[in-house]
């Protein structure tokens, strides 16, 4: 029970009586308890609602983004470089983290693609180096390099062409891999700057610099070849000049199956491959020219030997050594018959050793002067006696390249190879001597 006390006064003095009232506690506190329960219920409702909001909002704003990042990380670790958390990206630190993560994954994929492209170029370079070592024919070398580029470099097509004279000059395909011959033969590429000369292959031939078409579907310079290129699965093209010294001797053109396939690093590597190929082609051409020159020289020497051996005029051949000695290099049968000796026994001997009777004369010095100056000398009458050979002889120098040497004729006398290889060529007349002086 709850009690209340009220004093009763009749005047200013002390209370004369006391009123006491009693009320049950349950009845007195019923309203307060009801309000308290309502307040507690409302507080619990707010708390439950707050927990629900935290759960739902936390999942959307924190748990889900982090879970997405973790899942994407696992996909990247498994080798799926296309994995991304995906946009759109909202505000907040977690969203910024997700955005940065996707940018990092994009950069990783881009670098991996560039590395893959560089690796395929390096594989092609390695195999092409082996082809260069084995090569004996330039057309076969170019064909093997194109095959290596397609098989080991994983490019769909590669072909090489050489410049061909004409009006206008054009590029003639000579080797290919990955494309049918009919299409390659149908290509028309002028080297000039108009029309078909605007394509990457003609530009590389004309400028000596690599040319790249990142997308044949959109590049206007590739318009005339676009349909056939697409039919053969080609989306990007790089054309590389083949240099032989300072000369562009051809072009190597490589096609890729995807757009923007040739990164700058890959173009640098493929340019090195093209430079090696150009050097190899130049070396094979030089080797072929040397073989042809050696064959011509051998044939020329055989003709000369035949003429010398059949000549009724006695001939001796002498060479001046670096120390100034004049050494016997050979002679013909007529000389042996005239002198009644075998010249073979004097091979490698000096003039004074072979013919002692000349040691005290001016003939050894005359021989040296002829070798050093290239000017002819003759004597109508020389008396000789060394106990083996005696008599009077006429001596004259025959001015031909075999007595003077090719280098001396070219470098000192200024004669060309065509002149030296011409059997009707008169060296003395070419040097300015008159008929009377020669006679």
């Amino acid at each position: 029970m709850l009690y209340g006390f009220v004093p009763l006064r009749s005047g200013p003095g002390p209370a004369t009586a006391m009123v006491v009232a009693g009320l049950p506690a349950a009845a007195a506190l019923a309203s307060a308890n009801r309000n308290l329960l309502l307040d507690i219920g409302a507080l619990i409702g707010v708390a439950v609602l707050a927990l629900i909001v935290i759960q739902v909002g936390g999942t959307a704003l924190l748990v889900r983004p982090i879970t997405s990042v973790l899942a994407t990380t696992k996909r990247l670790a498994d080798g799926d470089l296309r994995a991304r958390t995906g946009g759109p990206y909202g505000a907040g630190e977690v969203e910024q983290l997700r955005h940065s993560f996707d940018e990092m994954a994009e950069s990783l994929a881009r670098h991996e693609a560039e590395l893959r492209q560089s690796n395929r170029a390096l594989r092609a370079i390695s195999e092409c180096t082996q082809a260069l070592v084995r090569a004996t024919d330039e057309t076969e070398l170019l064909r093997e390099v194109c095959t290596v580029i397609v098989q080991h470099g994983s490019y769909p097509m590669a072909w090489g062409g050489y410049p061909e004279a004409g009006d206008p000059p054009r590029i003639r395909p000579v080797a290919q891999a990955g494309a049918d011959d009919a299409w390659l033969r149908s290509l028309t590429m002028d080297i000039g700057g108009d029309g078909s000369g605007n394509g990457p292959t003609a530009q590389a031939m004309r400028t000596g610099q690599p040319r790249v078409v990142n997308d044949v579907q959109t590049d206007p310079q590739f318009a005339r070849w676009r349909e056939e290129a697409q039919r053969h699965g080609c989306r990007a093209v790089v054309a590389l000049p083949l240099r032989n010294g300072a000369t562009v001797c051809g072009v190597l053109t490589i096609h890729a199956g995807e757009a923007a396939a040739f990164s700058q690093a890959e173009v640098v590597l493929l340019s090195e491959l093209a430079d090696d190929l150009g050097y190899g082609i130049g070396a094979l051409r030089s080797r072929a020219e040397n073989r042809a020159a050696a064959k011509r020289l051998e044939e020329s020497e055989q003709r000369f030997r035949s003429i010398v051996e059949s000549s009724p005029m006695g001939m001796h051949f002498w060479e001046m050594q670096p120390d100034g000695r004049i050494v016997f290099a050979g002679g013909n049968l007529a000389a042996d018959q005239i002198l009644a000796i075998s010249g073979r026994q004097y091979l490698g001997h000096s003039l004074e050793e072979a013919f002692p009777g000349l040691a005290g004369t001016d003939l050894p010095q005359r021989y040296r002067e002829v070798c050093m100056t290239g000017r002819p000398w003759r004597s109508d009458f020389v008396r000789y006696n060394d106990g083996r050979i005696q008599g009077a002889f006429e001596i004259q120098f025959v001015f031909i390249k075999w007595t003077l040497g090719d280098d001396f004729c070219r470098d000192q006398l200024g004669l060309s190879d065509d002149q030296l290889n011409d059997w009707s060529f008169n060296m003395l007349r070419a040097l300015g001597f008159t008929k009377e002086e020669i006679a």
Side-chain angles (χ1 to χ4, degrees), residues 294-309:
K295 184 178 180 181
R296 290 195 301 269
L297 178 60
E298 182 181 359
E299 293 172 349
S300 179
E301 289 177 344
Q302 289 175 351
R303 288 194 298 269
F304 174 72
R305 190 178 298 111
S306 176
I307 293 173
V308 169
E309 290 298 332

Side-chain angles (χ1 to χ4, degrees), residues 17-48:
M18 183 73 67
V19 176
V20 178
L23 183 67
L29 298 175
S31 178
N33 288 336
R34 185 167 55 255
N35 290 335
L36 177 62
L37 290 175
L38 289 175
D39 290 343
I40 291 175
L43 181 61
I44 293 174
V46 170
V48 170

Side-chain angles (χ1 to χ4, degrees), residues 47-65:
V48 170
L49 181 60
L51 290 174
I52 292 173
V53 170
I54 291 174
Q55 175 68 24
V56 174
T59 300
L61 300 178
L62 183 63
V63 176
R64 287 178 183 173

Side-chain angles (χ1 to χ4, degrees), residues 2-212:
L2 295 177
Y3 296 94
F5 299 91
V6 178
L8 296 176
R9 293 181 176 87
S10 59
T16 58
M18 183 73 67
V19 176
V20 178
L23 183 67
L29 298 175
S31 178
N33 288 336
R34 185 167 55 255
N35 290 335
L36 177 62
L37 290 175
L38 289 175
D39 290 343
I40 291 175
L43 181 61
I44 293 174
V46 170
V48 170
L49 181 60
L51 290 174
I52 292 173
V53 170
I54 291 174
Q55 175 68 24
V56 174
T59 300
L61 300 178
L62 183 63
V63 176
R64 287 178 183 173
I66 292 178
T67 301
S68 175
V69 170
L70 292 175
T72 303
T73 302
K74 184 177 186 306
R75 289 176 61 192
L76 289 172
D78 291 339
D80 183 7
L81 298 182
R82 297 173 299 177
R84 304 290 184 274
T85 63
Y89 307 103
E93 295 180 353
V94 175
E95 288 297 297
Q96 292 178 7
L97 173 63
R98 196 163 61 89
H99 190 193
S100 298
F101 183 87
D102 281 352
E103 288 181 340
M104 181 191 68
E106 187 67 31
S107 176
L108 179 63
R110 185 168 57 252
H111 289 318
E112 194 277 339
E114 292 177 356
L115 180 61
R116 185 172 62 252
Q117 293 168 352
S118 297
N119 284 339
R120 69 180 179 181
L122 289 171
R123 287 196 302 271
I125 290 175
S126 176
E127 293 297 327
C128 286
T129 300
Q130 298 299 319
L132 285 169
V133 172
R134 298 189 300 265
T136 57
D137 176 81
E138 64 175 278
T139 302
E140 183 58 35
L141 169 62
L142 192 54
R143 184 179 297 113
E144 185 172 355
V145 166
C146 290
T147 301
V148 165
I149 289 172
V150 171
Q151 292 183 351
H152 296 274
S154 301
Y155 300 95
M157 185 173 68
W159 64 276
Y162 288 158
E164 188 175 60
D167 187 18
R170 294 181 173 180
I171 299 173
R172 175 175 57 89
V174 296
Q176 61 84 24
D180 59 85
D181 291 338
W183 178 47
L184 205 57
R185 287 194 300 269
S186 70
L187 293 178
T188 301
M189 287 163 290
D190 298 342
I191 300 178
D194 299 328
S196 62
N198 286 329
T201 301
Q203 290 185 37
M205 174 69 76
R206 192 168 57 250
T207 65
Q209 298 296 323
R211 286 293 182 266
V212 178

